[in-house]
């Protein structure tokens, strides 16, 4: 046997079990893009022969044709095709070395824009500017004739979608239709980017004012597309899903931060891709035991770039949970979606506002104390209650109204209303008009067993 | 193992557990050799090997019968290597040093050291693709985007260097 094979054989790891385990856990589908079979020579000749550009509103110096519109392509290199009224390429403009590499020695002038698009996409795939990881492409049709631009935009983006599918790449094509303005041109010139990319960045800045041209200009079109996911935009059409598979997924991010913070099952408030210093990062926010954590991680490597841990301040001014939120917290803890009956009271105890929730389910009574600000369960008890085979318990609210009726008061005249179930009677207590009332009511008959009315001090 | 058998294993991969094991057993050494030849770091290569097979498993649902299934596997391994290399440049951690395993037998050590120190990257890759993967020179030319004559000369030059250094035919 081959000695080189033997050498590698002795050092190659064998861990099929762990691979199988991880493969089954891993979500999502993987598509493999293979180099397409070589096309015929005729096709190649055609490809080299034909790439073209779109024209627009100024006169091209090189030819007598008028530039009717410009079609811009951004992968990361940027290419612009100026075309004339017949949609033939008059001029090819490249923005950087990558653009020049894509063009290579192709002569696109004089060919129809569709043919040029075909050749450009082929070359972009071949040079590796589009693949299953970086699957974004930005098409910008720039010119004064809006209707016509729109037609070109639709046709070109459909063409490209088809072409990519031929190459087994699921592309995410952003396309836009814009008018050339001096403001946009100045920005594009200033940052050495294409007009199309300038418009895309402009759109993002409008959505999130903390973004600036400075920190977005170096991002690739693909990265910008990733940022765009978080926003609703209507001036840019996005066809096809942007691939984020080169980044870590949310579950990986979660396990990284949980490990770092040494917490389990925190409540996530935000996990979002964002941009920081020209790189794509995850912004993560979560809360555990009243402590708020904020992380920023490199989306590619998972390196933790920033973290902030802050104990939420308990203050009276903090927003309190509603009664129904408190009830939901208790029911989630009980793992039920409904209960037979319940009663809630908000109390102030040791500087903390808390909800006291009593819930009846089956022959059990659950008592919860829930922090009214943070929603954490401070204490809970479960107690068996006597059930009667032939008598139905009256509800908490019925007990309350029996007591109120007896005291000749209405609900809005009283404060500190509290109803508790104690074995086979309800204890109803409330305050009104300087008095404190206490009732004991039989849970089955609704009969008042005992009552007290004392001056409140 | 013939291309036909690998094709069959890939097609049955998700339905039959033993297919994946067989495929792994039959191909892991050549896949690892390829990854090592590109990445040159033993520890990282182990991770990439693992990731490659996870991807093979996940991608097998869309696999369609082909005459050269090894080229499909090669594509996945190559993508993983490139992803790794790109990340390294991104995080500026890239180190060009060769990192071999800590412990290995003398013969292995001799062969690996020579492979990584005497040969350039292209020679090393062509040799591994030709003598381990069994790719023909015209196939290598296509996969590496080089000419057939370059592939041939890389192979012969590389083997000659190895022979001269080690005094044996490999």
């Amino acid at each position: 046997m081959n000695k080189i094979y033997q050498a590698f054989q002795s050092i190659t790891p064998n861990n099929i079990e762990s691979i199988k385990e991880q493969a089954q856990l891993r979500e999502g589908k993987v598509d493999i893009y293979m180099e397409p079979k070589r096309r015929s020579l005729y096709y190649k000749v055609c490809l080299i022969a034909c790439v073209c550009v779109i024209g627009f509103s100024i006169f091209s110096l090189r030819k007598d044709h008028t530039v009717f519109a410009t079609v811009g392509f951004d992968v990361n290199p940027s290419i612009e095709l100026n075309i004339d009224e017949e949609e033939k390429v008059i001029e090819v403009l490249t923005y950087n070395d990558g653009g020049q590499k894509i063009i290579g020695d192709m002569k696109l002038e004089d060919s129809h824009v569709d043919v040029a698009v075909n050749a450009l996409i082929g070359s972009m795939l071949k040079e590796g500017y589009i693949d299953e990881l970086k699957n974004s492409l930005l098409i910008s049709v720039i010119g004064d004739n809006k209707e016509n631009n729109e037609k070109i935009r639709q046709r070109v983006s459909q063409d490209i979608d088809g072409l990519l599918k031929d190459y087994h790449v699921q592309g995410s094509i952003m396309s836009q239709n814009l008018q050339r303005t001096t403001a946009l041109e100045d920005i594009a010139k200033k940052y050495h980017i294409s007009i199309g990319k300038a418009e895309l960045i402009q759109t993002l800045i409008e959505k999130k004012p903390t973004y600036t041209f400075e920190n977005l200009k170096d991002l690739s079109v693909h990265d910008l597309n990733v940022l765009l996911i978080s926003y609703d935009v209507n001036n840019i059409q996005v066809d096809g899903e942007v691939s984020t598979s080169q980044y870590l997924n949310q579950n990986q991010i979660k396990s990284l931060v949980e490990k770092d913070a040494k917490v389990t099952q925190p409540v996530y408030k935000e996990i979002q891709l964002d941009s920081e210093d020209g790189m794509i990062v995850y912004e993560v926010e979560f809360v555990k035991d009243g402590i708020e954590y904020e992380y920023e991680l490199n989306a590619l490597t998972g390196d933790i770039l920033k973290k902030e841990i802050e104990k939420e301040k308990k203050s009276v001014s903090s927003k309190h949970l509603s009664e129904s939120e408190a009830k939901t917290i208790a029911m989630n803890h009980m793992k039920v979606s409904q209960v037979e009956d319940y009663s809630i009271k908000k109390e102030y105890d040791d500087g903390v506002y808390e909800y006291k929730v009593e819930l009846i389910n089956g022959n059990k009574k659950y008592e919860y104390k829930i922090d009214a600000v943070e929603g954490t369960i401070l204490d809970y008890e479960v107690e068996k209650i006597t059930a009667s085979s032939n008598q139905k318990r009256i509800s908490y609210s019925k007990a309350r109204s029996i007591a109120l009726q007896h005291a000749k008061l209405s609900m809005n005249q009283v404060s500190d209303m509290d109803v508790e179930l104690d074995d086979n009677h309800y204890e109803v207590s409330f305050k009104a008009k300087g008095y404190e009332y206490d009732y004991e009511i039989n849970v089955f008959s609704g009969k008042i067993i005992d009552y007290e009315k004392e001056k409140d001090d | 193992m013939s291309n036909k058998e690998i094709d069959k294993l890939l097609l049955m991969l998700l339905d039959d557990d033993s297919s994946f094991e067989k495929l792994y057993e039959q191909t892991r050494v050549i896949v690892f050799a390829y990854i090592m030849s590109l990445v040159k770091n033993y520890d990282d290569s182990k991770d990439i090997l693992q990731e490659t097979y996870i991807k093979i498993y996940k991608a097998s649902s869309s696999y369609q019968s082909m005459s050269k299934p090894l080229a499909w596997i090669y594509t996945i391994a190559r993508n993983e290597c490139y992803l790794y290399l790109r990340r390294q440049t991104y995080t500026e951690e890239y180190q060009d040093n060769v990192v071999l395993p800590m412990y290995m037998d003398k013969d292995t050590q001799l062969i690996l050291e020579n492979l990584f120190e005497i040969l350039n990257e292209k020679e090393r890759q062509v040799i591994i693709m030709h003598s381990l993967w069994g790719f023909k020179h015209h196939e290598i030319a296509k996969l590496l985007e080089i000419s057939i004559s370059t592939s041939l000369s890389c192979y012969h030059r590389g083997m000659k260097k190895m022979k001269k250094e080690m005094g044996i035919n490999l």
Side-chain angles (χ1 to χ4, degrees):
Chain A
M1 199 193 267
N2 189 317
K3 287 203 170 62
I4 298 176
Y5 187 90
Q6 282 174 349
F8 278 108
Q9 192 176 29
S10 70
I11 62 162
T12 304
N14 186 351
N15 48 357
I16 180 78
E17 289 310 323
S18 122
I19 291 171
K20 266 161 55 182
E21 202 176 293
Q22 282 201 42
Q24 275 151 13
L25 284 175
R26 188 81 59 92
E27 285 169 9
K29 201 169 154 256
V30 175
D31 280 322
I32 302 305
Y33 159 67
M34 298 273 288
E35 292 285 333
K37 286 212 176 99
R38 299 237 159 160
R39 311 260 169 135
S40 66
L41 190 62
Y42 170 78
Y43 177 82
K44 270 198 278 182
V45 170
C46 163
L47 203 137
I48 290 166
C50 19
V51 175
C52 35
V53 185
I54 307 186
F56 52 103
S57 58
I58 59 161
F59 291 98
S60 159
L61 298 173
R62 295 169 53 183
K63 297 210 174 158
D64 275 348
H65 301 290
T66 308
V67 175
F68 181 67
T70 303
V71 181
F73 301 84
D74 280 284
V75 268
N76 214 24
S78 307
I79 296 171
E80 279 180 9
L81 305 178
N82 288 337
I83 56 171
D84 64 14
E85 209 156 344
E86 290 172 353
E87 300 191 348
K88 284 199 172 176
V89 177
I90 315 173
E91 196 180 5
V92 183
L93 303 169
T94 56
Y95 275 79
N96 33 36
D97 295 348
Q100 197 50 55
K101 202 175 162 199
I102 290 172
I103 301 292
D105 52 8
M106 293 191 290
K107 292 274 177 289
L108 303 178
E109 284 87 353
D110 268 352
S111 24
H112 189 267
V113 65
D114 292 352
V115 183
V117 166
N118 201 311
L120 283 177
I121 297 301
S123 180
M124 284 173 186
L125 285 160
K126 186 169 162 270
E127 299 291 340
Y129 289 110
I130 308 175
D131 56 32
E132 66 271 22
L133 295 175
K134 302 170 295 176
N135 64 344
S136 305
L137 181 74
L138 172 68
I139 309 295
S140 320
V141 182
I142 310 149
D144 289 334
N145 186 333
K146 244 184 158 178
E147 254 170 58
N148 207 65
N149 287 351
E150 181 56 21
K151 270 186 214 150
I152 299 174
R153 184 194 70 77
Q154 280 181 10
R155 203 183 64 224
V156 169
S157 52
Q158 269 170 21
D159 275 3
I160 292 175
D161 192 47
L163 279 168
L164 292 180
K165 288 210 172 91
D166 284 350
Y167 286 90
H168 307 290
V169 173
Q170 288 296 329
S172 173
I173 303 163
M174 296 172 275
S175 52
Q176 54 186 356
N177 167 354
L178 40 131
Q179 273 170 311
R180 197 173 279 269
T181 63
T182 37
L184 207 55
E185 277 184 327
D186 287 348
I187 289 170
K189 213 179 261 171
K190 184 174 170 197
Y191 295 105
H192 302 288
I193 53 177
S194 67
I195 290 179
K197 192 171 170 181
E199 172 70 19
L200 175 60
I201 293 177
Q202 185 74 56
T203 306
L204 277 165
I205 292 174
E206 275 164 23
K207 291 288 167 187
K208 187 170 175 180
T210 54
Y211 286 147
T212 63
F213 268 98
E214 274 313 319
N215 59 31
L216 295 184
K217 73 180 167 64
D218 292 328
L219 287 181
S220 70
V221 168
H222 182 76
D223 290 341
L224 293 173
N225 192 4
V226 169
L227 296 181
L228 207 58
I229 306 176
S230 321
Y231 308 104
D232 267 345
V233 289
N234 41 25
N235 57 329
I236 301 173
Q237 163 108 19
V238 183
D239 298 307
E241 228 167 273
V242 56
S243 162
T244 50
S245 52
Q246 92 214 74
Y247 306 118
L248 299 174
N249 63 36
Q250 294 204 347
N251 287 337
Q252 288 170 311
I253 290 295
K254 280 182 185 173
S255 68
L256 282 173
V257 294
E258 284 171 25
K259 200 176 148 196
D260 187 76
K262 297 191 181 65
V263 298
T264 50
Q265 299 181 320
V267 182
Y268 283 94
K269 288 184 163 176
E270 184 190 341
I271 303 182
Q272 203 181 23
L273 284 166
D274 203 346
S275 138
E276 192 76 41
D277 299 335
M279 100 176 105
I280 295 289
V281 298
Y282 268 105
E283 304 270 7
V284 188
E285 269 183 57
F286 58 92
V287 177
K288 175 77 181 178
D289 298 332
I291 300 171
E292 201 170 88
Y293 298 79
E294 262 187 66
Y295 276 83
E296 190 178 293
L297 296 94
N298 183 323
L300 279 174
T301 61
D303 289 339
I304 294 168
L305 306 169
K306 242 190 239 170
K307 66 175 160 186
E308 265 180 57
I309 302 171
E310 201 179 300
K311 192 147 170 55
E312 266 185 15
K313 283 190 195 86
K314 282 181 192 174
S315 80
V316 196
S317 61
S318 304
K319 215 174 155 260
H320 288 189
L321 300 173
S322 68
E323 289 194 351
S324 75
E325 280 170 327
K327 182 186 153 204
T328 310
I329 289 169
M331 289 196 341
N332 285 343
H333 187 261
M334 289 162 71
K335 298 192 177 66
V336 296
S337 55
Q338 57 182 46
V339 289
E340 285 165 34
D341 200 5
Y342 70 98
S343 141
I344 296 185
K345 192 192 177 208
K346 203 199 263 182
E347 288 177 343
Y348 187 69
D349 188 17
D350 287 344
V352 180
Y353 276 98
E354 58 186 45
Y355 278 110
K356 202 184 77 190
V357 192
E358 265 190 38
L359 308 99
I360 309 291
N361 199 31
N363 58 350
K364 284 189 184 126
K365 182 182 87 168
Y366 296 78
E367 237 185 288
Y368 283 90
K369 278 186 183 166
I370 294 169
D371 188 309
V373 176
E374 284 166 17
T376 45
I377 293 168
L378 303 168
D379 189 18
Y380 79 98
E381 265 176 42
V382 189
E383 206 179 286
K384 259 202 159 160
I385 48 174
T386 25
S388 168
S389 49
N390 46 12
Q391 276 180 297
K392 225 176 159 266
R393 254 193 310 271
I394 62 164
S395 68
Y396 281 102
S397 56
K398 179 79 184 159
R400 190 176 60 202
S401 50
I402 289 171
L404 284 173
Q405 209 177 355
H406 184 269
K408 298 194 174 65
L409 290 164
S410 67
M411 192 60 193
N412 51 25
Q413 290 173 297
V414 304
S415 63
D416 287 319
M417 172 58 81
D418 185 23
V419 189
E420 279 179 46
L421 178 65
D422 190 3
D423 219 2
N424 54 6
H425 66 267
Y426 283 111
E427 276 190 24
V428 185
S429 61
F430 50 89
K431 290 175 186 170
K433 295 172 183 170
Y435 286 93
E436 211 181 306
Y437 294 80
D438 253 311
Y439 282 88
E440 266 183 39
I441 296 167
N442 186 296
V443 290
F444 300 113
S445 66
K447 224 175 122 185
I448 296 169
I449 305 164
D450 193 10
Y451 85 92
E452 272 174 33
K453 182 180 169 187
E454 297 183 345
K455 259 237 181 293
D456 183 19
D457 38 27
Chain B
M1 172 170 261
S2 74
N3 271 312
K4 225 176 177 170
E5 283 170 280
I6 293 176
D7 185 45
K8 219 167 120 191
L9 289 178
L10 280 172
L11 288 170
M12 302 195 313
L13 206 75
L14 291 178
D15 305 319
D16 174 22
D17 223 29
S18 68
S19 298
F20 188 50
E21 281 169 33
K22 268 186 219 150
L23 179 83
Y24 180 72
E25 199 38 52
Q26 295 287 350
T27 54
R28 72 183 161 94
V29 176
I30 62 170
V31 173
F32 188 72
Y34 168 73
I35 295 170
M36 252 315 260
S37 79
L38 215 65
V39 167
K40 294 185 288 194
N41 179 311
Y42 175 68
D43 297 309
D44 292 341
S45 297
K46 288 200 292 193
D47 295 341
I48 300 171
L49 181 75
Q50 168 135 345
E51 196 54 37
T52 301
Y53 278 93
I54 293 172
K55 291 274 161 68
I56 290 175
Y57 185 89
K58 299 298 292 179
S60 63
S61 58
S62 57
Y63 176 80
Q64 285 171 348
S65 182
M66 55 177 86
S67 57
K68 301 274 181 230
L70 274 180
W72 187 80
I73 293 175
Y74 168 86
T75 306
I76 297 178
R78 186 197 56 192
N79 289 354
E80 286 307 315
C81 289
Y82 284 3
L83 187 64
Y84 163 86
L85 293 171
R86 271 208 300 268
R87 276 182 190 169
Q88 267 194 333
T89 21
Y90 204 85
T91 52
E92 290 168 11
E93 279 170 3
Y94 184 63
Q95 286 160 354
D96 204 30
N97 302 339
V98 176
V99 180
L100 293 177
M102 292 262 266
Y103 307 103
M104 48 190 169
D105 63 61
K106 274 222 167 85
D107 287 350
T108 304
Q109 190 176 0
L110 191 66
I111 290 177
L112 291 182
E113 279 176 1
N114 283 319
L115 262 180
F116 285 96
E117 274 154 32
I118 307 169
L119 302 187
N120 66 34
E121 186 162 310
K122 213 173 254 169
E123 290 164 349
R124 187 164 58 240
Q125 265 191 58
V126 172
I127 287 178
I128 282 166
M129 288 169 79
H130 185 69
S131 57
L132 264 52
W133 288 67
F135 284 128
K136 306 275 191 299
H137 283 291
H138 70 89
E139 291 166 338
I140 296 174
K142 217 164 106 182
L143 289 169
L144 296 184
E145 292 188 322
I146 55 177
S147 68
I148 296 178
S149 58
T150 310
S151 175
L152 275 163
S153 66
C154 277
Y155 179 76
H156 290 295
R157 199 171 53 229
M159 290 305 266
K160 219 165 140 185
K161 279 192 203 169
M162 292 288 281
K163 189 181 168 188
K164 192 181 157 203
E165 199 65 32
M166 302 176 61
I168 47 159
N169 270 321
L170 288 165

